[in-house]
């Protein structure tokens, strides 16, 4: 296999949840391997749009008006294109949910014994957004 096909650039996106009382104890909520900054921002927008109705009116307004439909996601898109990380955090009922994205290089997984490589990681425990 040509060397160029073994590694491809992309963006790793993840969502983590933590109690505000214990911010160091983040729990993985979701992840996405995006092929480009555009698809990464689309994934973050979808997550933010999904939880916005469960937030208070001020926070929901900010998330929707500034980040989802406004300049916030464009600013984060530019950050990703420049190789910097981006994040959006929302708060509810003593917890915070953070979506993060950063540029990475994905390693191609080869088939073993004629079988396709694993396409999804097994989650150790389902983390629910309170």
């Amino acid at each position: 296999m040509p060397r160029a096909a073994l590694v491809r650039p992309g963006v790793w996106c993840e969502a983590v949840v933590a109690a505000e009382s214990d911010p160091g104890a983040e729990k993985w909520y979701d992840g996405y391997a995006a092929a480009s900054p555009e698809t990464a921002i689309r994934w973050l927008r979808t997550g933010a749009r999904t939880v916005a109705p469960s937030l208070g009116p001020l926070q929901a307004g900010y998330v929707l008006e500034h980040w989802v439909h406004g300049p916030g996601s464009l600013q984060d898109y530019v950050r990703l294109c420049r190789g910097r990380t981006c994040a959006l955090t929302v708060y509810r009922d003593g917890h915070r949910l953070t979506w993060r994205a950063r540029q990475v290089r994905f390693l191609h997984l080869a088939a073993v014994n004629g079988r396709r490589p694993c396409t999804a990681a097994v989650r150790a425990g389902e983390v629910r957004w309170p």
Side-chain angles (χ1 to χ4, degrees), residues 29 37 39 43 51 53 57 65 73 75 84 100 102 108 118 127:
Y29 181 73
T39 55
W43 185 81
V51 302
E65 294 170 22
S73 57
Q75 292 166 351
R84 298 171 63 198
R100 294 189 281 242
R102 62 185 168 88
H108 175 76
C118 177
V127 178

Side-chain angles (χ1 to χ4, degrees), residues 64-75:
L64 293 172
E65 294 170 22
H66 177 75
W67 205 90
V68 173
H69 302 297
S73 57
L74 177 59
Q75 292 166 351

Side-chain angles (χ1 to χ4, degrees), residues 15 17 25 30 37 44 52 58-59 67 92 107:
V17 176
D30 198 7
L44 273 80
L58 290 176
Q59 189 172 202
W67 205 90
R92 190 182 86 185
L107 180 63

Side-chain angles (χ1 to χ4, degrees), residues 3 6 14 24 39 44 48 69 78 87 93 113 116 127:
R3 182 179 175 97
L6 295 177
E14 65 183 354
T39 55
L44 273 80
H69 302 297
V78 170
D93 299 333
N113 297 328
R116 290 178 34 182
V127 178

Side-chain angles (χ1 to χ4, degrees), residues 23-120:
E26 291 183 340
K27 293 184 180 179
W28 189 80
Y29 181 73
D30 198 7
Y32 177 64
S36 66
E38 294 91 351
T39 55
I41 293 297
R42 190 174 307 125
W43 185 81
L44 273 80
R45 275 184 182 154
T46 300
R49 192 179 301 119
T50 301
V51 302
S54 70
L55 304 173
L58 290 176
Q59 189 172 202
Y62 172 81
V63 168
L64 293 172
E65 294 170 22
H66 177 75
W67 205 90
V68 173
H69 302 297
S73 57
L74 177 59
Q75 292 166 351
D76 278 346
Y77 168 76
V78 170
R79 290 175 61 87
L80 281 174
C81 288
R82 293 181 176 164
R84 298 171 63 198
T85 62
C86 69
L88 173 65
T89 301
V90 296
Y91 300 88
R92 190 182 86 185
D93 299 333
H95 291 81
R96 69 175 165 79
L97 172 60
T98 302
W99 293 272
R100 294 189 281 242
R102 62 185 168 88
Q103 293 230 356
V104 296
R105 294 190 182 275
F106 292 111
L107 180 63
H108 175 76
L109 297 176
V112 177
N113 297 328
R115 295 186 179 169
R116 290 178 34 182
C118 177
T119 57

